Amino acid sequence: MPKQYKFSGKRVDCYFDVDFSFINEKLQKEKTVFITDENILRLHAEKFSGWKTIIIKAGEEYKNQQTVDSIINQLIHLQADRKCFLVGIGGGVITDITGFVASIFMRGIKFAFVPTSILAMVDAGIGGKNGIDVGVYKNLVGVINHPEFLLYDYSFLETLPDEEWVNGFAEIIKHACIKDREMFQFIEKHSLVNFQSSLSETASIIQKNASIKYEVVSQDEKETGDRKLLNFGHTIGHAIENTAKLAHGQAISIGMVAACRISEAINHFSKTDTKRVAGLLLKYELPVAFSFNKKKTWDILLHDKKKSGSEMSFIVLDRIGKGSVKSISLDHLYKIFNSL
Ligand SMILES: NC(=O)c1ccc[n+]([C@@H]2O[C@H](COP(=O)([O-])OP(=O)(O)OC[C@H]3O[C@@H](n4cnc5c(N)ncnc54)[C@H](O)[C@@H]3O)[C@@H](O)[C@H]2O)c1
Ligand SMILES: [Zn+2]
C-alpha cells in the first residue's frame, strides 16, 4: 500500500521500498515514456529494457529550455498524445525537467518520479516544484504540479557516487536541524559509511526525511510559513554557491553553520549547539568554513527573493530540531555577516 500525501486536493501516492519492476503493474508500455540521464541508463540498463526512453545528458547545465525542446521533439516523434504518461527516473535534474515537460506538453499530461539520488528522494522529487534554469538563474522558469506517484527503489543508491551521498546528507542534516532533534541524534551516532553499507538503515532515514518534507509542504503549499524553514542554510548557501564553484550540499553546509552563528546573535542559540551542528556536518564530509568573497556574496544575497524592504526573513534555529523564521534588519545582518 502506498503512503498517500495530499496537496490542494491532489493525492500523491508514495511507494517506499518497492522493486522497480512494480512499474509493470502500474503502467502500460505503449502509453509510457521514461526520461532519464545517460549515467542512470548506463548503470541500470536492464530496467529500461522494452520501455520507450528519452535520454538526456547528465548535469545541471542541461536543465534548460534546449533540453525541454529536445524532449518535446522526441515525444512528437514517439507519437505521444494526451494519454501519454511520463516517468522521470533520475536525480533532481531529471525530476525537475520531467515534471516541467509533463506540465506543458499538450497543456499537461500525467507523470511520475523514480528518484535515484538521495537529494531527489528526500527533497527535489517532493513538493511539486518543477522547472529549468535560464542562464545563471537557477529554477527561474517552472510550474507547481505534482506527480501521480513516486516509486522508491533503494537499490539505485548502490551506484550513487560518494559525492552525491554527501550532497544528499546535507539536506538530511538540514531537516534534522529544523524539525527533528531525535533524528539529529540518530545521524550523530551513525556515519556515511554506516549508511552506505546498510541500505535498510538508509531506506528508513530517507522515508523519515521524505515525510518531513511532505508534511512541511502540504501544510504550507504557498510558502507563507513553515515551508520557509526548508531554506535553512540556503540564503547564504546559494550566494556562496553562485560565487564559488561548490556543490550545492557543500554550499548549504557552510550556509547552515553561518545561520547557526546568526542564530546565536539574534536568537539565543547556544555556541555549543553551533559546534555540534558543525561537528555533524564535518562527520558527513561537508565543509563548515570557506574563505569566500564577502562583498560579492553579500551583493548576491541582497538580490535574494526573501528580502523585503530593509528587512530580510532569515531562518534561524531556536534549538537543534526547531527552526523558526525571524525578520532581521539588513544593517544588523550585514554586521553579523561581516564578522563570520
Ligand atoms: N524541485 C525541487 O523542489 C527541488 C529541490 C531541491 C533540488 N532541486 C533540484 O535538484 C537538482 C539536484 O538534484 P541531484 O543532486 O539529484 O542532481 P542530478 O540529477 O544532477 O544528479 C547528480 C548526479 O548523480 C547522478 N546520479 C543520480 N542518481 C544516480 C544513481 N542512482 N547512480 C549513479 N548516478 C546517479 C546523475 O547522473 C548526476 O550526474 C538541482 O537541479 C536542483 O535545482 C529541486
Ligand atoms: Zn538544497
Side-chain angles (χ1 to χ4, degrees):
M1 272 299 282
K3 211 165 159 80
Q4 300 182 331
Y5 294 94
K6 282 217 172 78
F7 300 99
S8 314
K10 159 124 192 157
R11 195 189 80 199
V12 177
D13 289 341
C14 237
Y15 296 92
F16 287 113
D17 213 353
V18 295
D19 191 85
F20 183 77
S21 58
F22 178 67
I23 211 129
N24 289 302
E25 289 171 36
K26 294 284 298 173
L27 303 170
Q28 296 171 347
K29 286 198 165 113
E30 320 74 72
K31 291 189 184 144
T32 305
V33 177
F34 287 176
I35 299 182
T36 194
D37 74 30
E38 48 194 17
N39 291 337
I40 319 285
L41 183 78
R42 178 171 37 84
L43 295 161
H44 300 274
E46 72 293 345
K47 297 193 168 79
F48 294 82
S49 160
W51 294 88
K52 288 181 238 173
T53 304
I54 294 175
I55 306 141
I56 67 170
K57 288 207 161 75
E60 182 74 24
E61 62 271 38
Y62 298 101
K63 201 178 95 174
N64 58 23
Q65 187 62 39
Q66 212 180 334
T67 307
V68 169
D69 290 346
S70 151
I71 294 172
I72 290 174
N73 278 319
Q74 293 179 71
L75 286 172
I76 295 167
H77 185 73
L78 290 166
Q79 295 177 329
D81 61 14
R82 259 185 198 83
K83 296 216 175 83
C84 173
F85 194 106
L86 294 188
V87 186
I89 304 163
V93 166
I94 290 292
T95 55
D96 274 11
I97 211 160
T98 301
F100 184 60
V101 170
S103 305
I104 57 173
F105 183 70
M106 299 205 161
R107 294 193 195 84
I109 58 174
K110 289 185 173 172
F111 65 103
F113 296 150
V114 180
T116 64
S117 68
I118 293 185
L119 190 130
M121 290 181 181
V122 303
D123 193 355
I126 304 163
K129 288 186 181 173
N130 310 284
I132 52 168
D133 305 333
V134 181
V136 294
Y137 303 105
K138 280 200 73 185
N139 304 319
L140 186 74
V141 169
V143 293
I144 303 265
N145 194 9
H146 296 275
E148 299 301 308
F149 68 87
L150 282 97
L151 185 161
Y152 287 71
D153 176 345
Y154 301 109
S155 71
F156 275 105
L157 298 178
E158 283 164 3
T159 60
L160 188 71
D162 286 351
E163 63 269 26
E164 300 305 336
W165 278 81
V166 173
N167 259 329
F169 266 87
E171 304 291 351
I172 287 178
I173 294 172
K174 176 192 79 178
H175 286 155
C177 284
I178 56 167
K179 278 283 166 193
D180 198 329
R181 187 180 178 84
E182 238 174 68
M183 185 168 79
F184 189 96
Q185 287 161 343
F186 178 80
I187 310 170
E188 269 182 329
K189 290 198 191 100
H190 282 64
S191 69
L192 209 52
V193 177
N194 282 160
F195 284 113
Q196 286 177 315
S197 56
S198 164
L199 272 191
S200 65
E201 294 269 28
T202 304
S204 100
I205 197 100
I206 285 176
Q207 184 164 343
K208 203 174 205 76
N209 276 274
S211 302
I212 290 176
K213 177 137 187 206
Y214 276 116
E215 264 147 42
V216 170
V217 174
S218 60
Q219 281 159 22
D220 179 23
E221 287 190 58
K222 300 222 167 74
E223 202 163 341
T224 50
D226 241 24
R227 190 169 182 166
K228 288 188 182 162
L229 298 181
L230 297 170
N231 291 324
F232 175 61
H234 281 60
T235 306
I236 291 178
H238 274 152
I240 297 175
E241 196 176 352
N242 281 348
T243 51
K245 278 207 161 66
L246 280 180
H248 179 69
Q250 296 178 319
I252 65 154
S253 177
I254 296 163
M256 284 192 271
V257 177
C260 283
R261 299 247 192 90
I262 292 165
S263 309
E264 283 175 23
I266 65 168
N267 204 35
H268 310 292
F269 188 66
S270 80
K271 266 198 169 51
T272 324
D273 279 347
T274 298
K275 278 204 185 115
R276 208 171 148 194
V277 172
L280 184 60
L281 291 163
L282 277 173
K283 186 169 185 194
Y284 284 78
E285 297 171 21
L286 286 155
V288 294
F290 180 70
S291 59
F292 53 92
N293 181 329
K294 288 230 170 104
K295 164 93 180 62
K296 220 164 151 189
T297 310
W298 179 255
D299 287 346
I300 294 178
L301 202 144
L302 281 188
H303 285 98
D304 193 286
K305 57 183 180 297
K306 285 164 280 298
K307 193 189 84 155
S308 65
S310 58
E311 301 264 302
M312 178 186 270
S313 60
F314 200 89
I315 317 308
V316 290
L317 296 184
D318 297 346
R319 52 185 159 79
I320 289 175
K322 190 170 182 310
S324 62
V325 186
K326 285 263 148 47
S327 186
I328 176 168
S329 84
L330 287 176
D331 288 346
H332 193 183
L333 184 63
Y334 185 67
K335 276 195 198 112
I336 306 169
F337 177 79
N338 257 328
S339 69
L340 287 177

